[in-house]
Amino acid sequence: MNLTFSQKEKLKNILFQVLVGGFCIFMLYPLLWMVAGSLKSSGNALSATLWPDAMQFSNYLEGWRGFGGVSFLTFFRNSFFISGTATIGQIILASFSAFGFTRTRFIGQKFWFAIMIATVLVPGQILRIPQYIMFNQWGWVGSYLPVILPQMLPVPFFTFLMVQFVRGIPTELDEAAEIDGCSKFGIFFKIILPNLKPVLVTAGIFRFYWSWNDFMTPLLYLQSVTKYPVSIALKMFSDPNAITNWGAMFAMTFLSILPTIILFIFFQRYLIDGVAFSGID
């Protein structure tokens, strides 16, 4: 059977759509299984079937009640406070750092930039002990300070991303602004910062996502249940000495990933632009 060129193209297109659709279902299966588990009874929540045996919407109400009189509203509020503050601080400080490395001249500029990039190779785990000793001596353990402040400091990855982006902004704009009487801060706020919107959103999405899912840092420094974020609260569902309510746990897990999904959907265009225009392949 001889197929025409148009028929071959249609057949290739159909096969491509089937393969992509199957791969998409394969990748989304864990998420679908979790959503299905949030609607199952606690005894059947771990079953492999996607269709719930009975729609248990009460799992969301039971999970929302939380533990020891502390509802998940408190945990979500704590997570938004930690992630939001860390994200805003990271965007501001990283943009200032990128501006300093690209639009100002100082002794050892290339050396310090290379040192900053080299810190990417340092595993975060080896900093845990010295950081804990330092924060404990300062009396910060038990507060949000050791959880938020280190995440506000410029991350080399975000600084490098913004440096690459700022280098693509013509310096003629700076010179024109200087002729008009703008200071360095004026150039930053009026010229550089407005043009950094895509990369700022990109850095903000990553910082919010990493802070939202961070488990170890709050576990080390926070000592009160009322200060716990969602990441630790979800772990409290699993108790080896008691019966775990898997249905309620899956329900709260699904709610916990909604903010990051919504954030990505609304700002995905800026995320793509920020990575593309910064020269990162």
Side-chain angles (χ1 to χ4, degrees):
M1 180 178 179
N2 295 325
L3 299 176
T4 63
F5 178 78
S6 60
Q7 290 175 332
K8 290 181 180 179
E9 290 298 318
K10 290 181 179 179
L11 182 60
K12 289 181 181 179
N13 186 47
I14 292 174
L15 291 176
F16 176 77
Q17 297 294 335
V18 170
L19 289 175
V20 171
F23 183 74
C24 182
I25 293 174
F26 175 77
M27 295 297 294
L28 290 178
Y29 180 81
L31 178 62
L32 298 176
W33 182 77
M34 180 189 65
V35 175
S38 69
L39 297 173
K40 297 177 182 178
S41 60
S42 183
N44 296 321
L46 299 180
S47 61
T49 58
L50 288 180
W51 191 255
D53 51 344
M55 293 294 184
Q56 299 284 339
F57 291 101
S58 59
N59 289 333
Y60 287 87
L61 296 177
E62 293 178 7
W64 192 258
R65 293 192 186 101
F67 320 93
V70 182
S71 69
F72 256 81
L73 177 62
T74 300
F75 301 133
F76 273 98
R77 185 170 60 242
N78 295 338
S79 289
F80 275 113
F81 173 70
I82 295 172
S83 302
T85 306
T87 300
I88 294 173
Q90 182 65 223
I91 290 175
I92 295 173
L93 296 179
S95 60
F96 269 115
S97 299
F99 178 75
F101 279 118
T102 54
R103 290 301 203 260
T104 59
R105 295 293 179 266
F106 54 89
I107 299 175
Q109 182 179 14
K110 293 183 179 179
F111 171 77
W112 292 115
F113 184 74
I115 292 296
M116 181 201 68
I117 298 301
T119 58
V120 177
L121 304 176
V122 180
Q125 290 79 3
I126 67 173
L127 301 177
R128 296 288 186 188
I129 295 177
Q131 281 183 341
Y132 186 89
I133 295 174
M134 180 178 64
F135 293 145
N136 187 48
Q137 291 176 347
W138 292 352
W140 286 9
V141 175
S143 69
Y144 284 125
L145 291 175
V147 179
I148 295 177
L149 287 184
Q151 299 188 52
M152 293 177 63
L153 299 178
V155 174
F157 171 72
F158 297 144
T159 304
F160 177 75
L161 199 69
M162 294 183 188
V163 165
Q164 295 297 98
F165 199 94
V166 174
R167 284 174 178 171
I169 300 175
T171 56
E172 288 79 4
L173 297 176
D174 299 17
E175 296 171 358
E178 287 180 353
I179 294 174
D180 290 338
C182 271
S183 62
K184 285 293 184 180
F185 284 102
I187 294 173
F188 174 75
F189 286 107
K190 295 181 180 180
I191 304 297
I192 302 300
L193 198 60
N195 287 286
L196 284 180
K197 183 187 293 185
V199 73
L200 290 178
V201 174
T202 301
I205 290 175
F206 278 110
R207 178 73 278 172
F208 184 89
Y209 177 77
W210 292 344
S211 299
W212 185 270
N213 290 330
D214 188 15
F215 175 80
M216 185 58 65
T217 304
L219 182 65
L220 285 175
Y221 296 111
L222 299 181
Q223 300 174 343
S224 174
V225 177
T226 57
K227 293 183 179 180
Y228 282 170
V230 173
S231 57
I232 297 182
L234 291 174
K235 178 62 178 67
M236 294 172 65
F237 268 111
S238 179
D239 186 357
N241 298 320
I243 298 176
T244 300
N245 189 342
W246 294 107
M249 181 179 181
F250 287 153
M252 292 301 100
T253 303
F254 174 64
L255 291 182
S256 69
I257 66 174
L258 280 182
T260 55
I261 294 176
I262 294 173
L263 190 69
F264 178 80
I265 291 175
F266 276 96
F267 294 103
Q268 60 177 329
R269 179 171 64 88
Y270 294 103
L271 177 65
I272 296 172
D273 292 344
V275 175
F277 293 154
S278 60
I280 301 223
D281 297 327

